[in-house]
Amino acid sequence: MITDGQILDYLSAIEPDRSNILETIENEAIKLDIPIIKKDVQGLLRFILGIHKPKKILEIGTAVGFSSVLMSEYASKETSIITIERSPYMINLAKQNIEKANKTNQIQIIEKDAQDALKGLKEQFDFIFLDAAKGQYITFLPYCVKLLKTGGVLISDNVLQDGNVAKSRYSVARRYRTIHTRMREYLWEINHHQLLETTILPIGDGITMSYKKEK
Ligand SMILES: C[S@@+](CC[C@H](N)C(=O)[O-])C[C@H]1O[C@@H](n2cnc3c(N)ncnc32)[C@H](O)[C@@H]1O
């Protein structure tokens, strides 16, 4: 967490109510220690979906389906969501949650590793939410750019790694150095990509927000 805890608690206390099903899925995920998007990122998604009104959403990293269900609630009823997950354990929980939320008509899970799934997708999306293994973001980026419509929005989560990404490689524990290097490459690439206009925001564990420009 890179935002001050007291500020987050205050902001969380004045937030509008969410649906019971979102509360339930979030509480279960917390109990099972499964990472899902933080409250401030939830607020940002609500806002962006409200103004951008995507018809087709792609999510990479379903986990228990919390963010998929949230996006389905804040996008229009006609919006379809494809979400990619490789863990059978997560897929099972996500399916149960999507059913409980009554969203099986809107949310489809692709049960594959994202690299294979992304290669197989032919349609383009108005909105892509990247929330999977951080070390793979740099590999997924070209697919995301290709699959994003011009004017479409790409958000990626957990990019600042508790602030570690801003520290020197040598001050980070040895086991985190590869991911540190890869995330720095990703942030450089997404910031300098010719087809993307990007801003990086220090909310949640850090997000990037980009839109795809005309060629
Ligand atoms: C942070 S969680 C996603 C949380 C979810 N978006 C939410 O906020 O409710 C990341 C998920 O991505 C999945 N994942 C990581 N790398 C993946 C890959 N290469 N292909 C498919 N799924 C992947 C993990 O199994 C995990 O469930």
Side-chain angles (χ1 to χ4, degrees), residues 35-37 59 61-63 65-67 84-87 90 112-114 129 131-133 136 140 158:
I36 58 167
I37 46 167
E59 175 180 62
T62 317
F66 177 80
S67 49
I84 304 171
E85 178 56 58
R86 67 179 172 192
S87 152
M90 296 294 184
K112 276 187 185 170
D113 188 277
F129 182 52
D131 190 18
Q136 292 182 295
F140 296 157
N158 303 319

Side-chain angles (χ1 to χ4, degrees), residues 51-161:
I51 55 171
H52 184 52
K53 303 194 185 339
K55 288 280 167 270
K56 287 181 175 190
I57 297 178
L58 174 66
E59 175 180 62
I60 306 159
T62 317
V64 294
F66 177 80
S67 49
S68 299
V69 171
L70 179 130
M71 290 192 286
S72 74
E73 286 195 3
Y74 292 100
S76 81
K77 285 201 175 69
E78 292 76 47
T79 304
S80 61
I81 301 176
I82 291 182
T83 180
I84 304 171
E85 178 56 58
R86 67 179 172 192
S87 152
Y89 172 71
M90 296 294 184
I91 291 166
N92 183 33
L93 292 174
K95 280 183 176 167
Q96 292 176 31
N97 287 330
I98 292 165
E99 254 175 50
K100 272 191 238 159
N102 228 343
K103 296 287 185 179
T104 48
N105 56 338
Q106 241 182 310
I107 303 171
Q108 180 205 340
I109 306 178
I110 300 186
E111 303 177 23
K112 276 187 185 170
D113 188 277
Q115 208 163 339
D116 297 329
L118 290 169
K119 274 185 205 153
L121 285 169
K122 299 283 175 260
E123 60 196 305
Q124 280 196 309
F125 297 85
D126 311 288
F127 185 87
I128 301 182
F129 182 52
L130 174 54
D131 190 18
K134 296 181 266 295
Q136 292 182 295
Y137 282 16
I138 186 70
T139 315
F140 296 157
L141 185 60
Y143 295 104
C144 291
V145 175
K146 192 169 153 209
L147 292 169
L148 194 62
K149 287 184 192 165
T150 301
V153 173
L154 164 66
I155 292 187
S156 51
D157 197 16
N158 303 319
V159 299
L160 295 179
Q161 307 175 325

Side-chain angles (χ1 to χ4, degrees), residues 26-42:
E26 185 178 59
N27 289 337
E28 278 172 13
I30 291 168
K31 235 189 270 164
L32 295 169
D33 208 16
I34 293 168
I36 58 167
I37 46 167
K38 307 273 187 318
K39 285 255 170 68
D40 43 5
V41 178
Q42 294 174 29

